[in-house]
Amino acid sequence: TYAKQLGIPVLTSAETAWGGLNAFVRPKQAGAAARSAIRAGPYKERLNPDGTLDWAFIVHEKARGWILDAICREIGSRQPASWQVSYYPAPTPEAKNYFFSHHALFETFVDREEDRLKDSKVFVWYTHPRVETPASVAKLLQAFEQHVTKVIFACESNRQVWIERGLAEEKTAVILGAADPEMFRFHKRGGGVVGLSSSFYERKNPDCLMAVMKHLPHREFLLLGRKWNQYALFEEMKALPNFTYKSAPYREYPAIYSTFDVFLSISNLEGGPIPLVEAMMSNSVPVASRTGFAPDLIKHGENGFIFDLDAPAETIAEMIEAAFDLPGDIRKTVEHLSWDNFSASIVKLAE
């Protein structure tokens, strides 16, 4: 693919939940709207008296009840103007501002209803590359240039990719992910645990994780997640004396994070990951791979450590050891990354 030619990793369609955010959405109940575990803001969905909207958040019908739906609702509910989540291809009310929850959905909308956008401001959320061809990149670039007010990137590295492809810099913005500072509170380090939080995919680099744990037999590792029994060597991993595997509902995450001295994010590809923000907000020292917004959050040696994607287990283990000795308040470096501020940053783009 074109992305591979450029050396850009991509997420598969099975991995579209943004860096751990799928934990925020409860399973959909029959006949009922899915509810987010993020605490919603005070403003409910409503139309203007004339049936129009200030903000229309466009989510594909197949994503109803999933994370893109949840995030759109969190943005809308934290600002006072009229707003509604519309499930494409159902009709969408006329709006001053359109927020597309995925760039592929924006492309489809442009192909079918291009004229709807000409008098409105248009925002497209771009979390990560996907399988691309030169033709698809050229088509999306043209759509961005012709119709978009801002393409909102989840990390600086993806913004730079599109600037290099020719997207005008003034049409770009970077808004990092967030966490709830009231849920994920400061804790004093000293428990000795290295924590991880993710569902299983091969891109989570499980072989390297096991090698790191073998390099540090004196350190306790706790993996919070799901589906790790799908890992081919999970029985071997589970047998390690310094490894604990735990699944838990999202409401229990803050208490579990409060046991982490160090947070390890070892994935080869991330759109975020949101657990990195949560852990840092809990005052855990991050040791993370150079993907997603980890380079945007971590100043190496100051509030954590960051390693290259091809770093050997020995290098990662050395950084974990250094993280245990790192002093300072990690929370202070990310406490501004609240969902309120996340929403406000997006709404401000329309001013």
Side-chain angles (χ1 to χ4, degrees):
T1 67
Y2 188 51
K4 288 182 179 178
Q5 293 170 14
L6 292 175
I8 303 168
V10 298
L11 296 183
T12 67
S13 58
E15 300 171 303
T16 54
W18 183 37
L21 280 166
N22 54 325
F24 292 161
V25 182
R26 298 184 183 126
K28 189 161 41 175
Q29 303 294 322
R35 300 177 63 85
S36 167
I38 309 171
R39 296 185 297 174
Y43 300 103
K44 295 183 178 181
E45 284 181 281
R46 66 177 177 87
L47 296 171
N48 292 323
D50 63 357
T52 64
L53 288 166
D54 292 304
W55 283 90
F57 296 93
I58 314 299
V59 177
H60 197 280
E61 171 61 34
K62 292 182 179 179
R64 183 193 291 263
W66 294 94
I67 185 53
L68 298 179
D69 187 359
I71 292 298
C72 286
R73 292 185 175 279
E74 302 313 326
I75 299 168
S77 69
R78 287 177 163 84
Q79 56 83 44
S82 63
W83 68 280
Q84 184 182 81
V85 174
S86 294
Y87 298 104
Y88 196 78
T92 302
E94 296 292 334
K96 292 180 182 177
N97 304 290
Y98 289 95
F99 180 94
F100 289 89
S101 59
H102 196 280
H103 62 272
L105 179 57
F106 162 72
E107 287 185 88
T108 301
F109 195 97
V110 168
D111 288 341
R112 298 178 181 178
E113 304 184 54
E114 179 178 4
D115 290 344
R116 292 282 303 275
L117 304 178
K118 63 182 180 179
D119 296 322
S120 302
K121 293 182 178 179
V122 177
F123 303 93
V124 177
W125 197 25
Y126 188 101
T127 60
H128 54 262
R130 51 184 249 165
V131 176
E132 299 165 320
T133 65
S136 69
V137 169
K139 180 184 177 184
L140 183 55
L141 178 60
Q142 183 179 34
F144 282 163
E145 292 286 4
Q146 291 182 349
H147 301 291
V148 169
T149 306
K150 292 283 186 183
V151 182
I152 303 169
F153 293 93
C155 63
E156 178 62 29
S157 61
N158 286 337
R159 185 179 84 99
Q160 289 301 321
V161 166
W162 277 93
I163 289 174
E164 291 170 9
R165 288 172 170 178
L167 181 61
E169 188 170 351
E170 61 269 19
K171 283 186 172 286
T172 69
V174 175
I175 298 179
L176 304 180
D180 187 338
E182 295 302 315
M183 285 184 66
F184 295 93
R185 295 179 174 272
F186 177 94
H187 82 282
K188 187 176 180 180
R189 298 188 296 273
V193 174
V194 180
L196 302 94
S197 180
S198 78
S199 295
F200 173 76
Y201 296 105
E202 286 297 335
R203 66 182 174 87
K204 298 296 182 176
N205 213 0
D207 292 345
C208 186
L209 171 59
M210 186 148 63
V212 168
M213 291 191 291
K214 289 179 178 179
H215 272 285
L216 298 172
H218 59 292
R219 295 296 186 188
E220 197 71 30
F221 288 78
L222 191 157
L223 171 57
L224 175 62
R226 300 181 304 130
K227 302 180 182 179
W228 279 81
N229 60 323
Q230 296 177 10
Y231 174 40
L233 300 179
F234 182 66
E235 291 302 316
E236 180 182 346
M237 177 180 282
K238 192 168 63 171
L240 293 176
N242 60 335
F243 174 69
T244 300
Y245 177 55
K246 184 178 181 65
S247 295
Y250 187 67
R251 65 179 179 274
E252 296 179 12
Y253 279 30
I256 297 170
Y257 280 43
S258 70
T259 67
F260 297 168
D261 280 6
V262 175
F263 181 80
L264 178 60
S265 181
I266 203 167
S267 176
N268 288 323
L269 175 63
E270 288 290 351
I274 288 296
L276 177 61
V277 186
E278 296 169 340
M280 294 177 71
M281 200 168 279
S282 303
N283 198 42
S284 303
V285 179
V287 177
S289 53
R290 195 180 302 277
T291 182
F293 54 52
D296 299 285
L297 297 183
I298 299 171
K299 294 183 179 180
H300 186 77
E302 295 183 22
N303 69 336
F305 298 88
I306 194 159
F307 55 88
D308 293 333
L309 298 182
D310 59 354
E314 295 91 338
T315 298
I316 300 170
E318 289 171 2
M319 289 188 186
I320 291 172
E321 288 294 89
F324 276 100
D325 295 329
L326 190 71
D329 185 343
I330 305 302
R331 177 184 170 90
K332 279 188 176 180
T333 67
V334 297
E335 62 186 355
H336 60 288
L337 296 175
S338 67
W339 289 114
D340 282 336
N341 289 341
F342 178 86
S343 174
S345 295
I346 289 174
V347 171
K348 188 175 181 179
L349 296 176
E351 295 177 356

